[in-house]
Amino acid sequence: MPHFIRGQIRIAYDDVGSGAPVVLLHGFPFNRSMWTEQSEFLKNSYRLITADLRGHGETNATEQPATMNDMACDVCALLDSLGIEKATVGGLSMGGYVTLAFYRSFPDRVNALVLADTRAGADTEEAKAGRREQAERALAEGVGVIVEGMLPRLLSAETVGKRPEVVKRLREMMLQTSPAGAAAALRGMAVRADQTMLLPLIAVPTQIIVGREDAITPVTESEKMAQSIPEARLRVIPGAGHVSNIEQATDFGQTLGEFLRWVS
Ligand code: MLT
């Protein structure tokens, strides 16, 4: 497994294919294996970089909150180490928060953006308190409590009813996250900046994707982003909830493929 060391963090990543670079960032509490289908689909035409964000998968956590800026700086340092000057950068949910933080800090490193099942706004005070409580519970009781709390809201009716293998894969993937990693990310998400004012300033083509049944970052959030970002396209994927890239991998992959051809 390739890895890159940045201070106290050992970042695990995959770098497959060749062509224009595309970085895909996973959600919480997932890991880079969530992009397996998209990497397979696109690697003949593009260079796909997927990394485990700090505290997830094979990348370690620290005791401090893992802020979206920390994660964005990790990604930027990884791109430096790979000699990549500019890339299309995209992420799902928390990966989308990191993508917006990345664009805010490093706009010159971005060719195009992909924002999937995410939102630009910060947490409400109530949501922040909920995250802090969840972080405590993850540390005290294990990550299973977070996973079982999230699962019922994560997926579309079609996925839950007809695709038990997807539910199993996601549960197993989430359970790989350490309690320390989950707690650090929850605390980091709670303090993330409101990026709403950044949206009209985004000067690169942006593909927004959302599952029609996303209960965590609903379609209305994506519509708001699409209205505010000057060069945005929106795809609403039927039969998908919050994890649209796995629930409807082909539809997601084709949307991404068409967008990448358009921006190349
Ligand atoms: C995710 O999928 O990354 C999370 O649901 C994001 C969040 O909790 O806000």
Side-chain angles (χ1 to χ4, degrees):
M1 177 244 321
H3 67 270
F4 163 70
I5 293 177
R6 177 169 187 257
Q8 295 173 282
I9 306 286
R10 186 178 189 273
I11 301 166
Y13 69 93
D14 286 310
D15 178 3
V16 299
S18 57
V22 179
V23 179
L24 294 175
L25 304 173
H26 62 80
F28 169 86
F30 304 110
N31 59 56
R32 71 191 195 278
S33 73
M34 83 175 321
W35 298 112
T36 302
E37 286 88 344
Q38 284 74 40
S39 291
E40 279 302 309
F41 186 69
L42 295 168
K43 72 180 183 191
N44 290 335
S45 308
Y46 301 94
R47 180 178 179 186
L48 268 296
I49 291 104
T50 55
D52 284 342
L53 296 168
R54 52 173 70 198
H56 295 76
E58 297 171 291
T59 299
N60 63 298
T62 65
E63 281 179 16
Q64 293 79 38
T67 68
M68 304 303 102
N69 283 341
D70 289 334
M71 294 182 185
C73 290
D74 291 343
V75 173
C76 191
L78 175 62
L79 292 185
D80 288 344
S81 80
L82 296 174
I84 295 172
E85 185 56 36
K86 267 190 159 195
T88 293
V89 181
L92 183 135
S93 199
M94 181 183 76
Y97 308 156
V98 178
T99 298
L100 287 171
F102 185 94
Y103 186 80
R104 187 173 195 149
S105 295
F106 312 109
D108 296 344
R109 308 292 297 266
V110 179
N111 268 329
L113 290 173
V114 180
L115 298 169
D117 298 280
T118 193
R119 58 159 56 88
D123 280 358
T124 61
E125 288 309 313
E126 190 187 350
K128 285 180 192 179
R131 297 231 201 243
R132 284 193 286 267
E133 190 194 317
Q134 281 195 316
E136 294 297 328
R137 286 195 71 190
L139 291 172
E141 299 169 43
V143 85
V145 289
I146 308 294
V147 173
E148 298 311 322
M150 277 184 85
L151 262 174
R153 300 182 62 225
L154 214 50
L155 304 168
S156 70
E158 181 183 322
T159 307
V160 173
K162 297 190 189 153
R163 305 185 56 208
E165 74 287 358
V166 170
V167 182
K168 181 168 180 284
R169 173 180 167 193
L170 284 168
R171 177 181 272 119
E172 287 173 359
M173 196 192 302
M174 292 193 284
L175 286 172
Q176 285 171 28
T177 307
S178 66
L186 284 162
R187 289 170 175 155
M189 285 192 285
V191 296
R192 74 183 190 281
D194 183 346
Q195 304 286 17
T196 309
M197 302 304 281
L198 176 71
L199 302 180
L201 306 176
I202 292 179
V204 295
T206 302
Q207 177 70 59
I208 299 166
I209 306 176
V210 64
R212 182 166 285 156
E213 294 172 51
D214 188 336
I216 296 180
T217 46
V219 172
T220 47
E221 295 288 346
S222 287
E223 287 171 345
K224 279 193 266 177
M225 291 194 292
Q227 281 156 16
S228 302
I229 299 173
E231 265 190 278
R233 298 151 51 122
L234 171 63
R235 166 79 182 141
V236 181
I237 300 188
H242 187 58
V243 197
S244 59
N245 73 311
I246 290 182
E247 295 182 77
Q248 298 294 338
T250 304
D251 194 328
F252 192 107
Q254 282 169 352
T255 303
L256 196 50
E258 277 167 29
F259 176 66
L260 292 172
R261 275 196 299 281
W262 181 58
V263 298
S264 297

